[in-house]
Amino acid sequence: MKSELKLGVVLPQTEIGADPTGVRDYAQAVEEMDYTHILAYDHVLGASTENRPDWRGPYTTADMFHEPLVLFGYLAGITTRLEFATGILILPQRQTALVAKQAAEVDVLSGGKLRLGVGIGWNQVEYEALGEDFHTRGRRMEEQIALLRLLWTQTVVDFKGKWDTIPQAGLSPLPVQQPIPIWIGATADTALERVGRMGDGWFPQMPPNDKAREQVEKLREYTVQAGRDPSSVGIEARITLRGLTPGNWREQLEGWRDLGATHISVNTMGMGLQGVSAHIDMLRRFREVVG
């Protein structure tokens, strides 16, 4: 099934630097090139490897991350058309009501252009530092998703769950989108079932190969089992340019289009690009190649 693709970019989190001028220039250049959205992902803390010789995580204290929701509040004020997506926010390590408030604010400031991508994460160090339970994160996230939707659509919420209690309280202002779309990043079968049952969209993390086709088919099956229309669940794939030729760029784009992707984000990290302008130039070249 082919679909119209929205083509966005992955913020080069670990390489863009902390200069707000560079972040501004990047976002405005992305908008000028007619990319539709910026995706940013979430790490609150990096683990030090000084006393962790067996550390296997992909990120440490040496890796820089902008906080996505604060970042999007800034970008909403300096762009006009861009949409924003967290891909993903590690929801169970955060307070649900606070995420609801922050996301609603971004949605208001951006004129209704936020997609909240969520996931359970992998870094136990972050969970411990933020005072949350790493081992119940999957079950807690399901409760959080239900509560977020209540908080975004009702002026007063009365909720008592296993992890969260809202004693007749609510957000003001409510978001423009009621509710804000919630997308889920996942690859395990249990997580794909969760997407099919309660997600507005899915973030796969692979090229458009046989494994991707198998997972898309599973997602559609889970969506039907949940009594939902598979076409109502979006798919945002990622094209990581590192190690690919320009010919591969178009192949991957068309491959994901054939698999029914609704969104694509272009990742320029890991290519040895020096400075914000080099990332912008690479995105311009990608645009020229794929049209």
Side-chain angles (χ1 to χ4, degrees):
M1 176 177 70
K2 290 195 174 186
S3 60
E4 291 299 320
L5 280 174
K6 289 189 172 183
L7 185 61
V9 303
V10 178
L11 182 83
Q13 284 273 38
T14 60
E15 300 175 15
I16 197 169
D19 180 0
T21 302
V23 175
R24 179 202 66 196
D25 291 348
Y26 178 87
Q28 292 178 341
V30 164
E31 186 170 55
E32 288 169 5
M33 287 185 276
D34 287 329
Y35 285 97
T36 60
H37 60 279
I38 289 181
L39 179 148
Y41 51 97
D42 176 35
H43 281 291
V44 175
L45 297 167
S48 170
T49 58
E50 185 175 347
N51 295 310
R52 296 184 177 94
D54 297 326
W55 181 255
R56 294 292 180 268
Y59 303 113
T60 70
T61 49
D63 297 294
M64 192 199 76
F65 283 87
H66 288 282
E67 200 290 317
L69 296 174
V70 175
L71 170 75
F72 291 161
Y74 170 64
L75 296 184
I78 58 173
T79 61
T80 58
R81 300 184 307 278
L82 279 179
E83 298 174 354
F84 307 107
T86 57
I88 48 100
L89 193 83
I90 306 167
L91 185 57
Q93 71 181 17
R94 292 170 173 253
Q95 295 172 299
T96 313
L98 184 57
V99 171
K101 179 68 174 180
Q102 292 172 315
E105 183 70 7
V106 171
D107 201 60
V108 167
L109 294 176
S110 67
K113 295 194 285 287
L114 175 66
R115 281 181 292 129
L116 189 74
V118 300
I120 62 174
W122 54 267
N123 190 345
Q124 190 165 352
V125 172
E126 277 188 292
Y127 273 85
E128 181 179 353
L130 292 167
E132 300 295 346
D133 186 350
F134 182 78
H135 302 288
T136 61
R137 64 198 193 281
R139 285 171 289 153
R140 181 171 181 232
M141 189 172 77
E142 292 202 12
E143 181 181 291
Q144 288 180 292
I145 290 172
L147 178 54
L148 287 172
R149 287 173 171 152
L150 290 176
L151 286 165
W152 291 330
T153 58
Q154 298 183 12
T155 55
V156 177
V157 172
D158 193 36
F159 180 90
K160 186 169 181 61
K162 184 171 182 178
W163 290 277
D164 281 291
T165 299
I166 307 291
Q168 294 188 328
L171 303 178
S172 184
L174 290 171
V176 174
Q177 302 176 97
Q178 295 186 20
I180 295 168
I182 296 178
W183 290 45
I184 299 173
T187 55
D189 279 4
T190 54
L192 283 174
E193 187 277 332
R194 184 180 294 128
V195 180
R197 179 165 39 88
M198 62 192 318
D200 295 305
W202 173 53
F203 293 104
Q205 292 285 335
M206 65 202 75
N209 53 22
D210 289 341
K211 181 180 179 182
R213 185 174 298 278
E214 178 185 337
Q215 291 214 315
V216 168
E217 290 172 356
K218 284 183 179 179
L219 174 62
R220 289 174 179 152
E221 290 172 5
Y222 287 133
T223 307
V224 170
Q225 289 172 15
R228 304 174 66 203
D229 180 357
S231 67
S232 68
V233 179
I235 298 174
E236 170 141 0
R238 190 171 299 180
I239 299 178
T240 297
L241 303 189
R242 182 186 67 246
L244 299 181
T245 67
N248 298 144
W249 300 350
R250 185 176 291 279
E251 288 173 5
Q252 291 213 3
L253 185 71
E254 293 305 320
W256 275 114
R257 192 194 303 275
D258 288 341
L259 289 176
T262 56
H263 299 67
I264 294 277
S265 287
V266 183
N267 179 15
T268 57
M269 284 182 283
M271 301 180 73
L273 302 176
Q274 299 298 313
V276 172
S277 61
H279 285 278
I280 292 171
D281 289 343
M282 185 58 65
L283 291 173
R284 185 172 290 111
R285 187 178 177 205
F286 183 89
R287 260 300 192 194
E288 291 168 353
V289 168
V290 305

